[in-house]
Amino acid sequence: MTGNAAGTGDGGATTGRLLLAAAPIGRPEDASARLRAALAGADIIAAEDTRRLRRLAADLDVAISARVVSYYDQNERARAAELLGELLAGRDVLVITDAGLPGVSDPGYRLVRAAVDEDVPVTALPGPSAVTTALVVSGLPTDRFCFEGFPPRKAGERARRLASLAAEPRTMVFFESPRRLDDTLAAMVEAFGTDRPAAVCRELTKTYEEIRRGPLGELAAWAEDGVRGEITIVVGGAPEPEGLSEPADLAAAVAVRESAGTPRKEAIVEVAKENGVPKRLVYDAVVAARK
């Protein structure tokens, strides 16, 4: 990569280039010829796990001559500043994580943001991604989707996050640890319902790849005995609401409950739940009707 810099800093000096390199998510043979060449020619390689990088290089029969530094969650902030200095000094930096593309639930964003702010060229070496791989094999709609990363570890925070996604119409993709899969699927049942279609993708592209498809309730029961391997969860989006949707109708439904003695706040919650709409939408409809 040396000598291929294509940017200038504030002082007009040539800067290095930041390359985000996608690593295989399972089989080393999925690595591209471009990844092999980039690893062999890099000035500096910032790796999430330097030992795994060395193993990948050995599997690919690539001799690494670059300076290799660790770049993981705990040192990302400090290391990003150091790597930015190398880029501004004219050296190219290749960032690689354990699997998939840097910056997608892995270190990378801070360095990219800093490089962009300093007008350092940033490019990506595309390759495998657990997000899109799981999406296309899930059997769920792929035309619109969103990536939600890892759900919060704490039960309360996880429940609140999932509840906020209950009305999300797009297919949702999550990462999860096998140790927390059963708890997360149970929380998804609570937030999205027992019958919401989903898929649990385990060990994608590896020898023991397994794709479990079905309603969330069935998947939660399956996961109770424990599951091993790298996990990606795909959940279908919320179905189109079949109930009321017009503000005037929602406000009228709340008024009926209020006249029967139900407190307004409780009535708003009930109407929102019955019609599959956000509570805020019902609240705004009630406020508008009162005006």
Side-chain angles (χ1 to χ4, degrees):
M1 289 168 63
T2 305
N4 293 330
T8 58
D10 292 337
T14 301
T15 69
R17 180 180 59 157
L18 177 60
L19 176 60
L20 307 171
I25 61 176
R27 298 172 181 265
E29 56 264 38
D30 290 337
S32 67
R34 288 185 62 199
L35 177 59
R36 289 180 170 86
L39 290 173
D43 295 333
I44 300 169
I45 298 177
E48 184 179 14
D49 186 325
T50 58
R51 291 169 299 180
R52 293 187 67 164
L53 168 65
R54 300 286 186 190
R55 287 198 297 270
L56 176 63
D59 289 338
L60 300 180
D61 195 25
V62 171
I64 292 179
S65 60
R67 179 165 71 90
V68 177
V69 299
S70 62
Y71 184 48
Y72 52 92
D73 289 337
Q74 286 70 27
N75 76 349
E76 181 181 8
R77 189 181 300 275
R79 189 70 84 188
E82 174 190 331
L83 293 172
L84 178 62
E86 299 285 5
L87 288 162
L88 293 175
R91 285 176 281 276
D92 294 337
V93 175
L94 182 150
V95 177
I96 189 167
T97 59
D98 292 346
L101 197 62
V104 181
S105 284
D106 279 323
Y109 167 75
R110 283 190 174 90
L111 181 56
V112 171
R113 184 67 262 169
V116 169
D117 289 343
E118 293 290 343
D119 198 28
V120 171
V122 179
T123 188
L125 200 168
S129 166
V131 177
T132 50
T133 301
L135 177 68
V136 297
V137 301
S138 69
L140 296 168
T142 60
D143 54 336
R144 298 180 66 219
F145 72 95
C146 58
F147 175 57
E148 289 294 327
F150 284 89
R153 295 187 179 189
K154 295 182 179 179
E157 293 178 8
R158 181 171 57 230
R160 287 190 290 274
R161 174 76 60 79
L162 295 176
S164 73
L165 295 170
E168 171 59 61
R170 296 171 295 180
T171 299
M172 296 169 282
V173 183
F174 301 84
F175 288 162
E176 188 52 287
S177 161
R179 297 187 301 276
R180 294 187 295 274
L181 178 62
D182 55 343
D183 290 335
T184 292
L185 288 174
M188 287 179 171
V189 169
E190 183 67 25
F192 305 144
T194 302
D195 297 327
R196 182 77 71 90
V200 175
C201 306
R202 188 180 71 84
E203 297 288 89
L204 283 169
T205 76
K206 299 178 183 178
T207 302
Y208 298 104
E209 175 181 281
E210 180 180 18
I211 315 296
R212 286 268 181 168
R213 305 176 183 88
L216 276 172
E218 290 183 9
L219 295 175
W222 161 75
E224 287 178 354
D225 293 333
V227 177
R228 295 182 179 181
E230 299 289 332
I231 301 295
T232 306
I233 306 170
V234 187
V235 181
E240 289 291 329
E242 297 179 359
L244 304 176
S245 59
E246 293 297 322
D249 295 334
L250 295 170
V254 172
V256 169
R257 283 170 168 75
E258 281 192 90
S259 65
T262 303
R264 178 175 300 159
K265 185 176 180 180
E266 185 177 335
I268 289 173
V269 171
E270 290 178 357
V271 170
K273 187 174 183 179
E274 286 183 7
N275 293 282
V277 297
K279 288 185 290 184
R280 184 71 194 185
L281 181 63
V282 182
Y283 173 81
D284 290 344
V286 171
V287 172
R290 288 175 61 84
K291 290 182 180 180

